[in-house]
Amino acid sequence: MMSFKISDKPVVPFIEGDGIGPDIWKAARMVFDAAVDKIYGGRRYVQWKEIYAGQKAYNKFGEWLPDETFQTIREYGIAMKGPLTTPIGGGFRSLNVTLRQKLDLYACVRPVRHFKGVPAPVKHPERVNVVIFRENTDDIYAGIEWKQGTDEAKRVIDFLNCEMGCNLSYDCGVGVKPMSEFKTKRLVRMAIKYALDKHLPSVTLVHKGNIMKYTEGAFKEWGYEVAREEFSDTTITEDDVCTKYSGKPPKGKVVIKDRITDAMFQQILLRPEEYSIIATPNLNGDYLSDALLAQVGGLGIGPGANMGDEVALFEPTHGTAPKYAGMDKVNPGALILSGCMMFEYMGWKEVSDAIVKAMEKTISSGVVTYDLARQMEGSKEVKCSEFAQEIVNNL
Ligand code: NAP
């Protein structure tokens, strides 16, 4: 995941996205191009290549997700995307889920940190600096469920009651929560490699294994197994740190620990600085990502990536916010920071650092979009494009 090879003039496909997509893409691209030019002076630059998904694809080709879009992303191994609306009656559960499944983007990676000046609901948001690796393909998101009262639900309940010794009443809806060894291990492997690559101190497996022993509990066991079997020289368990090293981790080793989900929600509020990477199943990851993001100031600045072994797709956490579409109003920060993740992935870390610094400077000077302005006394509210221009000025 970390060793993506790229030329000095890489082609990067992008999906503009629906709703506010065109507004934030235009603003973000201006920042990306200005930063790359500033750092490399024309020696390196990105050749953006538009590809289509969502409403724009439908208007152009009569299809919501053309095959060519998948082929192009696979070909280049990297892409950016804005948010997409799922068409009602389009034959998809969700365009985003389809993209993730077809490209086998098994990890949703979300760095969460505080930006100086961003209003937050806790006293010390700066203590949060964590990257969440959320499993993207397993768990109750597999979508296997039967509606209460249907023949299918009745058959499943019959089977469970008659053959498996359960005692379910017939007014239940029933869902299945699959969690596989292969999918867990590849997710935890990616998280550990990331920790090693970035010299981060720990990976925390977050699970509800005290209750769901053979799914969430197995997630924990498989996670420790990957560390033991594949990274024995470079990782150490928290237990070993306590019993063999008096609580002080040996230098250069990543500590592998685990927490039960409910306790983890307390931990991220009370002692967030003790966590640098979280590896967790799909549903826990969904809840934790939003909780942590809220803790540092919210949606407009939440970047993300969906990653597999062959492809990485960088996109903001938020959706299409349709009521603001075309108004040049919303915060392009999440998409800009998703681009920073991409530049880092490409090995262009200096571009990423420059943009983050300029964005921090812009926000802390009080020049912000409406979402932050309404919480920051004395700030100056600017449009989406003006905010981007201010970041460019601060580069
Ligand atoms: P949403 O689009 O994220 O918007 C919810 C609210 O979050 C907005 O009304 C706005 O709050 C705030 N917000 C979102 N993006 C912002 C930005 N860039 N700057 C400032 N504020 C921002 O969520 P939703 O309304 O639940 O979903 C709308 C559509 O997006 C749905 O069709 C959903 O399926 C889709 N969606 C797509 C993705 C994706 O493509 N990855 C992800 C999530 C949702 P205020 O109203 O308070 O100003």
Side-chain angles (χ1 to χ4, degrees), residues 20 24 81-86 96 100 299-300 315-324 330-332 369-371 374:
I20 54 172
I24 55 174
K81 86 172 251 303
L84 292 174
T85 317
T86 292
N96 294 302
R100 285 167 208 162
L299 262 181
E315 58 174 321
T317 308
H318 61 71
T320 57
K323 66 180 171 186
Y324 299 121
V330 295
N331 193 338
T369 44
Y370 85 97
D371 52 315
R374 67 188 169 188

Side-chain angles (χ1 to χ4, degrees), residues 157-197:
I157 294 170
D158 276 344
F159 169 73
L160 291 171
N161 286 353
C162 302
E163 298 192 36
M164 304 301 288
C166 303
N167 185 21
L168 297 182
S169 69
Y170 282 89
D171 66 345
C172 289
V174 183
V176 174
K177 178 184 174 81
M179 220 166 262
S180 91
E181 180 175 353
F182 169 74
K183 290 179 172 182
T184 298
K185 284 189 168 175
R186 67 180 179 173
L187 185 270
V188 176
R189 185 178 298 119
M190 190 189 267
I192 295 176
K193 281 186 181 167
Y194 185 91
L196 290 167
D197 193 60

Side-chain angles (χ1 to χ4, degrees), residues 110-115 118-126 128 130 132 265 268-269 285-303 317 372 375:
R110 287 192 183 159
V112 187
R113 51 159 291 200
H114 182 246
F115 282 85
V118 173
V122 296
K123 278 191 197 145
H124 291 290
E126 74 287 352
V128 175
V130 61
I132 303 168
F265 275 92
I268 57 172
L269 277 169
D286 196 2
Y287 296 156
L288 272 169
S289 305
D290 275 23
L292 270 160
L293 198 54
Q295 204 167 314
V296 296
L299 262 181
I301 50 157
T317 308
L372 299 181
Q375 304 171 68

